[in-house]
Amino acid sequence: MADPSGRPDHAFPEVQREGLYRAIFERRDVRAQFRPEPIPPEVLARLLEAAHHAPSVGFMQPWDFLLIDDRAVRSRVHAIFERENAKAAEAHAGERGALYRRLKLEGILESPMNLCITCDRERGGEHVLGRQSIVEMDLFSTCLAVQNLWLAARAEGIGVGWVSILDQQELAEVLGLPEHVYPLAYLCLGYVDDFLEAPELARAGWRQRLPLSDRVHGNGWRTLPADAALTRAVDALAPPTVRTPACRR
């Protein structure tokens, strides 16, 4: 198959493209819809393989995957969350504080599997190709592994929730991590009753998705792209009712 210029067309067939975009748009941070049945080993293996095929700077592959199904370990992690969440709640007063306290922000004990994706900050040695200027590239690379797993999980009908309200040092101690291994993402995994049509925080009124049309710049901050057709195409993606004209350039 070739495009009009005669060059090979490397695009996926339309049905496969639709599946990819569906996984992206329907991915959710799941906290409250988990079902108790376990994830079959072959499915879990596919998710881990997808994560392991993420890009990484210098091909250092800094990630490891800690599967946590022990109730005692998860209870210790949950206790860290409870303490940190109580501290976080103090930052919000009035109606905002009341809303925060109503939010379900983790599924540590309800989900059938917890997974911690770590970043080995020494993997690849002292001089990793492409990491000399930006040393955090190992952390960024590990985030790509998280995203790969998240999208693959959505395609498999499995929900994922990232628990970010944790003390990372305490978490590392609970999991027995070496000093140079950072617990980047603590995830809850499992089949769910439903994938919500909109992100849970948007449904709850905590925060709404920002318009893409206000987030696209060209050649400099707060400058429109030179291609006017691109600007029109981006503008056309969002309903006019969600536009924020005051923020436009």
Side-chain angles (χ1 to χ4, degrees), residues 156-208:
E156 297 278 4
I158 292 169
V160 178
W162 188 331
V163 185
S164 61
I165 307 173
L166 293 170
D167 182 294
Q168 298 300 82
Q169 182 59 48
E170 287 189 65
L171 178 61
E173 293 172 2
V174 168
L175 300 179
L177 302 182
E179 187 174 348
H180 61 278
V181 174
Y182 179 73
L184 184 135
Y186 194 90
L187 308 174
C188 304
L189 280 69
Y191 291 104
V192 297
D193 288 327
D194 191 22
F195 285 95
L196 301 177
E197 291 186 6
E200 195 163 353
L201 292 183
R203 286 165 53 96
W206 185 263
R207 188 173 175 84
Q208 301 303 315

Side-chain angles (χ1 to χ4, degrees), residues 57 60 62 119 121 131 135-144 182 184:
V57 65
M60 69 184 298
C119 178
R121 311 224 58 194
R131 192 187 172 204
V135 296
E136 297 87 0
M137 287 303 299
D138 58 338
L139 298 171
F140 303 156
S141 297
T142 306
C143 285
L144 297 177
Y182 179 73
L184 184 135

